Amino acid sequence: MGEQDVVVLFCGHDFDAGFHYTAEALRSEPRIRVVRCDRNDCRATRAETPSIMVEGEPLTFADALKTASVAIPLMSKFGELELSQSFSPSLKLILQFGVGLEGVDIRAASRRGLPVANIPSKLLPPLPYAHLQAAADDDVAAPRADGEAQDELLSSNANAASCAELAIFLVLSLAKKLRESALSVQNRRLGKPVGDTLLGSRILVVGFGDIARELTLRLKPFRPKRLAAVRRSPWPSADSVHDAVRGMNVAPQRLEAAASALLDERLPWEALHDAVSRSDYIFVCCSATAETRGLVNREFLAKAPKGVRIVNVTRGVLLDYDATLEALESGHLGGLGTDVSCKEPVDPSDRIVAHERVVTFPHVAGVTHLSYQGMAEVVAEQARRIRDGQPLTANVVNACDL
C-alpha cells in the first residue's frame, strides 16, 4: 500500500450494509481501501473487529480519522473537537452515507477547507414507474402534445420509494393495531382488536419532498376522504401542475406534478395547525432544521383530534419527546409509527418505544439493496476522483464557504 492510497473510512458499525456495498463497488479498484473503525462515543458497541488494526489492536476513531481520505460519519460526531484532534491533510471529503449531517459541524469543516457532502435522493439512480402516467385524472393523462407515447416512464429513486413504502406499512400497522393483533394471536383470541381503515379518512402529509411525493402516490389508492399536504415553498398553480404532468420532460418534476395533482388540498405552511385539526392520520415528512426541530410539540398535538395517528420516517428530532409521551399516555395520541427516534440507537426500554400503541423500526426505511447500491456507487465515484486527481462531483453543502 503506497502513500497515495485513498482510504474510505466508515466511522462505525451502524448501517452495516453500506460498508459492504461500498467495499464491493471498489473491490477491483487499485489504490483504494475501504475500512472502518468504531463509532466515536462511549455508547458504541463493536459488532465485530474493526478493519483498521495496529499490532493486533483496533485503531481509535481519532487515529483512524488521521488516515482517511474520505470519512463516512454515519452516527459519529464530527465537531470542532474531533476535527481539531484528528484533522489531517489526507482528509479530502466528509461524505455522509445518506442525507443527515446533524452530527457534522459544517462551519468547523469549512474553516479547514474541507468539503462536506451528503447523498440526497435526487442523486440516486432513477426507478421506472410506468403506472404513474395515469396517476392523475384522465384529462391529465391524455396524450402529450409532442406525440410521445403514454408509456414513457416517470422516475423516482430507491431511497424515497422505500421510505414511502415503510410509511404505508407503519400507518397500516397503526390502523389495524398490529401489536394488539400479535397479542390476540398469542392468546388464541379471534375477532380482536377492532381496527380502522384509511378509506374515508382525513390524511395530512407535512412537507412535500421526495418521500412525501412517493407517499402521496401510494396513499391515493386507499381512497381517503381528504388527502392534503403542507409545505414551506410555494405550490405551483393548478394550471402549471396540469401542464407539467402532461408535458414536462424532466422526470423528477413530472413526478412532483403527478403527486401534487393527486392532492385534494395544497396548503401553505401557515395553515399547518388548521390542517392538523382536521386530520386523522398525519405523516411527518419534512426535513430537520432549526425551525422544524420539535415540530410535533404540545401545541401541535393539542390541535390534533383525539386519537390521531402520526407516522414519522424522516428524523426523530421532529417530535418533542416529552409532548409525544404525554399524548400517548393520556390517550390523545392514538398511535405512533416511527422509523427514527430522538436518541439512536434505539433503547428498547424507552417509554415511547415500549408503549403499546407505538410501532418502531430501527432506522431502516431507506436500507434496501437498491438504495444502498446507489449510495455505494456515489461514494465509490468520489474515491476514484480523489485517487485520479479529478474534481469532486458530490453534493457538497458548504461549497460557497470553501
Side-chain angles (χ1 to χ4, degrees):
M1 294 180 289
E3 293 181 356
Q4 296 181 338
D5 281 0
V6 170
V7 177
V8 179
L9 173 67
F10 279 73
C11 302
H13 294 266
D14 307 289
F15 303 98
D16 183 65
F19 169 81
H20 293 292
Y21 276 108
T22 304
E24 178 61 25
L26 291 167
R27 182 168 55 90
S28 61
E29 294 285 346
R31 296 192 296 107
I32 299 179
R33 293 185 291 138
V34 182
V35 299
R36 57 182 168 179
C37 63
D38 278 350
R39 182 148 47 92
N40 70 335
D41 64 50
C42 60
R43 296 173 299 156
T45 55
R46 189 162 67 246
E48 55 188 273
T49 303
S51 299
I52 300 183
M53 307 286 289
V54 175
E55 296 181 354
E57 293 297 323
L59 223 59
T60 65
F61 169 86
D63 289 337
L65 189 57
K66 294 176 183 177
T67 72
S69 311
V70 181
I72 313 295
L74 301 175
M75 302 299 289
S76 287
K77 183 179 179 182
F78 276 64
E80 176 63 40
L81 177 63
E82 288 77 16
L83 289 173
S84 63
Q85 291 178 340
S86 306
F87 178 75
S88 166
S90 66
L91 184 59
K92 305 300 183 184
L93 175 66
I94 296 175
L95 174 58
Q96 183 60 288
F97 201 85
V99 178
L101 290 168
E102 296 89 344
V104 179
D105 187 332
I106 297 174
R107 290 183 179 179
S110 297
R111 286 194 293 270
R112 293 166 172 82
L114 180 59
V116 177
N118 61 2
I119 308 176
S121 297
K122 65 183 179 182
L123 294 186
L124 296 181
L127 295 175
Y129 283 108
H131 68 284
L132 297 189
Q133 194 62 41
D137 59 41
D138 292 339
D139 183 52
V140 170
R144 290 175 50 175
D146 58 10
E148 289 187 27
Q150 276 300 291
D151 62 356
E152 180 188 356
L153 303 182
L154 293 171
S155 69
S156 180
N157 61 77
N159 188 67
S162 177
C163 290
E165 289 172 2
L166 184 59
I168 293 293
F169 178 89
L170 288 170
V171 76
L172 291 177
S173 297
L174 299 177
K176 307 306 178 184
K177 301 182 179 179
L178 178 66
R179 293 184 68 159
E180 289 183 53
S181 295
L183 287 175
S184 290
V185 171
Q186 193 174 15
N187 294 315
R188 303 192 177 196
R189 290 195 301 260
L190 294 177
K192 290 185 177 181
V194 177
D196 293 303
T197 178
L198 300 187
L199 174 66
S201 66
R202 302 169 299 172
I203 297 177
L204 174 65
V205 179
V206 180
F208 208 67
D210 292 335
I211 295 173
R213 295 163 194 162
E214 289 285 350
L215 178 60
T216 298
L217 294 164
R218 289 160 174 77
L219 285 171
K220 193 65 173 181
F222 286 98
R223 293 158 55 198
K225 179 180 179 180
R226 188 187 76 248
L227 178 56
V230 295
R231 69 186 298 182
R232 287 188 178 276
S233 54
W235 289 97
S237 67
D239 288 343
S240 63
V241 169
H242 179 279
D243 293 342
V245 175
R246 296 186 67 202
M248 184 66 69
N249 291 321
V250 182
Q253 292 175 312
R254 293 180 58 207
L255 181 61
E256 178 182 6
S260 297
L262 297 178
L263 294 170
D264 299 304
E265 296 183 21
R266 295 187 285 271
L267 302 169
W269 193 257
E270 294 74 22
L272 173 63
H273 282 175
D274 176 66
V276 165
S277 71
R278 300 182 288 116
S279 301
D280 305 307
Y281 298 94
I282 300 174
F283 293 85
V284 182
C285 298
C286 54
S287 57
T289 66
E291 292 76 21
T292 59
R293 188 181 185 94
L295 175 72
V296 181
N297 53 20
R298 289 182 177 87
E299 183 182 7
F300 182 107
L301 291 165
K303 294 289 185 181
K306 181 177 174 59
V308 66
R309 277 98 165 199
I310 294 177
V311 171
N312 182 15
V313 292
T314 47
R315 286 291 180 266
V317 296
L318 296 173
L319 275 63
D320 179 281
Y321 182 91
D322 292 337
T324 302
L325 180 59
E326 289 171 10
L328 281 167
E329 293 183 336
S330 71
H332 186 78
L333 179 55
L336 172 65
T338 183
D339 181 52
V340 287
S341 299
C342 294
K343 296 180 180 179
E344 294 180 339
V346 174
D347 179 359
S349 65
D350 179 273
R351 291 171 68 186
I352 288 181
V353 173
H355 197 280
E356 62 183 1
R357 294 195 307 280
V358 174
V359 178
T360 304
F361 270 61
H363 207 142
V364 294
V367 182
T368 65
H369 295 298
L370 281 173
S371 63
Y372 267 44
Q373 286 171 351
M375 288 192 287
E377 184 50 44
V378 172
V379 175
E381 176 61 19
Q382 303 316 305
R384 296 185 194 104
R385 286 179 167 273
I386 290 173
R387 178 197 61 190
D388 298 339
Q390 297 178 348
L392 298 174
T393 56
N395 185 58
V396 176
V397 299
N398 61 337
C400 61
D401 297 324
L402 297 178

